[in-house]
Amino acid sequence: MPILGSRMNDYKDIEPVFVGFSQSIGKLPMVLLGKAIRVFTGGDVNHAWVVYWDKNWSAWLIVGANSNGLTFDSLPNFLKSHKVIYLFSAENFRLWEGLSAHVNDLNTGYDYRGLINMSWVEVGKKITGHPWGNLLANDHRLFCSEWCSEFIKTAIAISHLEKEWPLWNNGYHDNQVDPTFLCNEIITAPKLWTLIDKEVITKPWINLSK
C-alpha cells in the first residue's frame, strides 16, 4: 500500500479527511475494554473513526461512535483517551460523499447490544471462517466500525467502485464488522486507500497544503 509521509508537497491533491484507527488509553475501564476487543479480534486496534480538517474552526475534528453516540470531538481531547495507530486517505473516491449521505446519523445512540454481541459474531468467524449474525444489534443505533463501514460503502458505491471493495462481495453486514477487520480490508485494497503519516494531524492543514 502507498505510504505518504509528512512532507508538504505530498498532500497537494489530498482531501483533509481520513479514516482512523486507534487503541484505548487513559482510564482503566476503557483500556481494559480496548484490550479485550484487540485480543478477541486478533488486531492492534479497537476503535474506528473519521478525522477531518475544519477550515472554519481551524482545527482537526474527530467524528465517531462512542459512549455518547455518534458525535464530534476535538483532536486534543480525543488523544487523551486514544492512541492513533493508522490513518488512511481515500483514493479514486471521496469520503465526503459517504459522510454527507449519512449526516442524519449524527447524534445516533451507541449500540451497546450490538457491541456485546460482536463476541458471538467473532466466535462464529473463528469456528466457521465466516461471522455469525449480530442478532442483538439495534438498527437505530451504531457502534464505531459499523458506522465507518456504512459510510465507506456508500462513498464507494457513489463512485461505482464496488468491485474494488471486498466488503461488498463477502456478504458481511455492517454490524458484523469490527475495527480490526475493517482496517485489514482497507490495507488489502490499495487501489482505494493510501496510508497516511500519523504526524499529519498534529499540524494545521493550511501549512501542508501550500
Side-chain angles (χ1 to χ4, degrees):
M1 169 172 285
I3 301 176
L4 287 184
S6 57
R7 295 179 304 168
M8 295 180 192
N9 289 338
D10 289 341
Y11 293 88
K12 289 188 296 184
D13 300 318
I14 299 291
E15 277 194 300
V17 53
F18 310 127
V19 175
F21 295 89
S22 59
Q23 295 178 359
S24 297
I25 59 174
K27 295 182 178 179
L28 187 59
M30 295 308 297
V31 170
L32 293 176
L33 176 60
K35 178 66 173 178
I37 292 172
R38 296 195 302 275
V39 168
F40 219 81
T41 59
D44 56 354
V45 299
N46 60 264
H47 189 45
W49 36 275
V50 170
V51 59
Y52 77 98
W53 177 257
D54 191 298
K55 62 182 181 180
N56 294 306
W57 287 97
S58 295
W60 291 102
L61 297 182
I62 304 290
V63 188
N66 55 74
S67 59
N68 295 315
L70 186 61
T71 62
F72 286 86
D73 199 357
S74 69
L75 180 63
N77 192 58
F78 179 80
L79 293 177
K80 294 176 183 177
S81 55
H82 299 85
K83 177 184 177 182
V84 178
I85 305 299
Y86 302 107
L87 289 176
F88 296 97
S89 172
E91 292 287 328
N92 302 311
F93 73 101
R94 298 187 64 238
L95 286 173
W96 275 119
E97 292 184 332
L99 289 166
S100 297
H102 286 267
V103 65
N104 290 330
D105 290 343
L106 290 171
N107 295 320
T108 297
Y110 192 77
D111 188 4
Y112 288 101
R113 294 188 327 195
L115 176 65
I116 292 170
N117 203 54
M118 280 299 292
S119 58
W120 172 257
V121 174
E122 298 295 338
V123 168
K125 190 187 299 185
K126 293 181 186 301
I127 293 176
T128 69
H130 194 276
W132 288 338
N134 195 332
L135 304 178
L136 298 182
N138 187 327
D139 291 339
H140 304 290
R141 291 175 175 266
L142 296 161
F143 54 85
C144 67
S145 48
E146 176 185 12
W147 177 67
C148 288
S149 180
E150 284 186 1
F151 82 75
I152 289 171
K153 276 186 176 179
T154 300
I156 288 173
I158 290 171
S159 294
H160 307 291
L161 292 169
E162 296 95 325
K163 291 183 179 179
E164 302 293 339
W165 186 229
L167 279 173
W168 273 104
N169 304 313
N170 58 18
Y172 278 58
H173 190 283
D174 297 312
N175 64 27
Q176 295 172 304
V177 177
D178 63 69
T180 292
F181 182 72
L182 181 61
C183 186
N184 289 340
E185 292 293 283
I186 288 175
I187 290 172
T188 57
K191 291 184 179 180
L192 297 179
W193 301 95
T194 297
L195 184 62
I196 299 295
D197 190 310
K198 294 176 289 185
E199 294 300 310
V200 167
I201 58 173
T202 66
K203 309 168 186 178
W205 183 257
I206 189 171
N207 292 337
L208 290 171
S209 56
K210 284 185 177 179

